[in-house]
């Protein structure tokens, strides 16, 4: 009996999906894991609400689009009244991507993209991804909503860009400078926080965020509507310019190369690196090799160690590096590994990263002016 008492408790999961097939498959996938159990499967949010009360789950998987009350409306209410880890189950469509990004804004930890056709086989192939995200979610640090979503935004629709406070200009600055960002779980909102606080005359920003194909274009468009710099998916061979941010397309690696006096983006297919494509390791290695002391690197929230070694290579090549601190991370995996590797010069709360970055850029711009 004593031995049984020392066994760790299984992660309790409630599945919410209007498809009986998906509910059955997700229940089967979860129950096959030795460390988790599906304690209920609900066909809509009203059934789920009662199930949450009675079963007290650790994690919910939530379909984006359902009858009676859509997943976004339910998530919004849940995160205000009874916050808990949620993994969204999204369809691989443009609308599915936009609604999923809204869910991440509202506090969902992560999402799984289910195929539009061949759902049964597709979900079985995604079993490892699904269960890993449930495990991560069960340990994630939840973000509480600062305020209810504005009434002007219809449920399930992208939020309307709100005016943001003015951001100080950096002033005269070498176009050689480039900011590199790596992020994973929780990173869509963390990256938005940084980019929204950069001025239009910011150096170029190059970003690898772990996201599947079909979602990065909507993510870039959403950031572009919220930020003072221009944001877009990176295109192979395009010139990297100040005042612009470039996001690695889902399913492709992003790196930088030198072409004469210019930096260009290289978007390429290839094998996953550290199980990821795009991989932060690929981007940061190119930064160390090509940009050297003109690079600044940010390692934001995420699971795993992708990019930690390459970030140390960046530091060794002369870059200045920041890591997000544990308290402000949804998952303190990638920043922790970067810190352990000796890659970070400063470890900061998310809200302090952009101001510190601007402060450093302005001070280095002043130095360069003094040398002229």
């Amino acid at each position: 009996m004593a031995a049984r008492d020392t066994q760790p408790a299984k992660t309790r999961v409630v599945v919410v999906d209007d498809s009986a097939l998906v509910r059955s498959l997700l229940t089967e996938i979860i129950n096959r894991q030795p460390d988790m159990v599906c304690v209920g499967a609900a066909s809509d949010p009203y059934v789920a609400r009662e199930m949450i009360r009675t079963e007290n789950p650790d994690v919910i998987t939530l379909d984006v689009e359902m009858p009676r009350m859509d997943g976004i409306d339910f998530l919004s209410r849940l995160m205000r009244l009874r916050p808990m880890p949620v993994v969204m189950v999204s369809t691989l469509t443009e609308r599915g991507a936009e609604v999923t990004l809204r869910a991440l804004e509202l506090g969902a930890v992560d999402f799984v993209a289910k195929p539009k056709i061949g759902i049964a086989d597709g979900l079985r192939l995604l079993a490892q991804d699904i269960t890993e995200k449930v495990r991560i979610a069960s340990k994630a640090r939840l973000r509480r909503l600062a305020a209810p979503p504005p009434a002007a935004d219809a449920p399930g629709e992208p939020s309307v860009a709100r005016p943001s406070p003015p951001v100080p200009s950096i002033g005269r600055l070498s176009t050689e400078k480039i900011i590199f960002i790596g992020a994973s779980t929780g990173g869509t909102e963390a990256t938005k926080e940084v980019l929204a606080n950069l001025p239009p005359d910011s150096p170029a920003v190059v970003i690898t965020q772990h996201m599947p194909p079909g979602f990065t274009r909507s993510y870039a468009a959403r950031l572009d509507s919220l930020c003072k710099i221009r944001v877009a998916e990176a295109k192979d061979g395009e010139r990297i310019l100040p005042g612009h941010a470039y996001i690695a397309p889902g399913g492709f690696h992003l790196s930088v190369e030198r072409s004469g006096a210019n930096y260009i983006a290289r978007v390429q297919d290839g094998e996953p690196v550290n199980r990821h494509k795009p991989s932060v390791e690929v981007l940061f290695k190119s930064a160390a090799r090509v940009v050297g002391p003109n690079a600044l690197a940010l390692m934001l929230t995420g699971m795993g160690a992708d990019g930690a070694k390459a970030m140390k290579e960046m530091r060794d090549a002369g870059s200045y590096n920041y890591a997000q601190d544990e308290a402000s991370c949804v998952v303190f995996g990638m920043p922790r590994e970067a810190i352990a590797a000796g890659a970070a010069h400063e470890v900061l709360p998310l809200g302090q990263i952009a101001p510190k970055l601007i402060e450093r850029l302005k001070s280095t711009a002043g130095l360069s002016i003094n040398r002229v």
Side-chain angles (χ1 to χ4, degrees), residues 334-352:
M334 286 162 56
R336 179 180 58 224
E337 294 299 326
I339 294 162
H345 291 86
E346 296 185 54
V347 180
L348 298 170
L350 179 61
Q352 291 184 23

Side-chain angles (χ1 to χ4, degrees), residues 78-147:
L78 183 71
M79 296 309 288
R80 288 200 306 274
L81 302 173
R82 187 172 177 170
M84 62 178 56
V86 175
V87 176
M88 302 302 293
V89 180
S90 311
T91 49
L92 281 168
T93 63
E94 186 173 345
R95 171 169 169 75
E98 290 171 356
V99 175
T100 299
L101 292 169
R102 179 66 175 142
L104 295 173
E105 286 182 349
L106 290 169
V109 175
D110 210 337
F111 67 96
V112 176
K114 65 181 175 184
K116 287 182 285 186
I117 56 174
I119 288 177
D121 290 339
L123 282 176
R124 288 190 183 102
L125 289 172
L126 287 168
Q128 182 180 352
D129 193 31
I130 292 165
T131 52
E132 182 177 352
K133 289 184 177 186
V134 168
R135 284 188 189 95
I136 293 167
S138 71
K139 299 176 176 63
R141 185 175 285 103
L142 294 180
R143 294 181 299 104
R144 284 184 176 270
L145 288 179

Side-chain angles (χ1 to χ4, degrees), residues 216-257:
T216 42
R217 184 175 299 175
S218 294
Y219 179 50
R222 173 162 291 208
L223 290 179
D224 189 57
S225 73
L226 296 170
C227 300
K228 296 168 185 66
I229 61 174
R230 302 306 307 270
V231 186
E233 266 191 333
K235 295 181 177 64
D236 186 50
E238 73 178 320
R239 188 179 168 195
I240 293 173
L241 299 170
H244 291 68
Y246 306 85
I247 296 176
F252 292 88
H253 292 304
L254 174 62
S255 57
V256 295
E257 292 183 3

Side-chain angles (χ1 to χ4, degrees), residues 49-68:
R49 187 170 58 190
E50 295 306 313
M51 206 169 276
I52 289 166
R53 283 200 188 106
T54 58
E55 298 297 340
N56 193 27
D58 302 304
V59 179
I60 299 171
T61 72
L62 178 61
D63 189 14
V64 165
E65 295 179 347
M66 287 180 295
R68 299 180 71 194

Side-chain angles (χ1 to χ4, degrees), residues 300-365:
L300 304 180
T301 173
M303 187 69 182
D306 186 32
K309 291 179 182 176
M311 195 181 193
K312 178 60 164 63
E313 290 179 24
M314 288 183 70
R315 178 169 182 163
D316 293 342
S319 73
Y320 196 85
N321 301 343
Y322 300 87
Q324 187 178 346
D325 76 346
E326 183 172 7
S328 65
C329 280
V330 174
V331 179
F332 188 56
M334 286 162 56
R336 179 180 58 224
E337 294 299 326
I339 294 162
H345 291 86
E346 296 185 54
V347 180
L348 298 170
L350 179 61
Q352 291 184 23
I353 290 177
K356 285 283 191 178
L357 193 59
I358 293 168
E359 185 181 307
R360 180 165 187 84
L361 286 165
K362 291 180 80 166
S363 69
T364 55

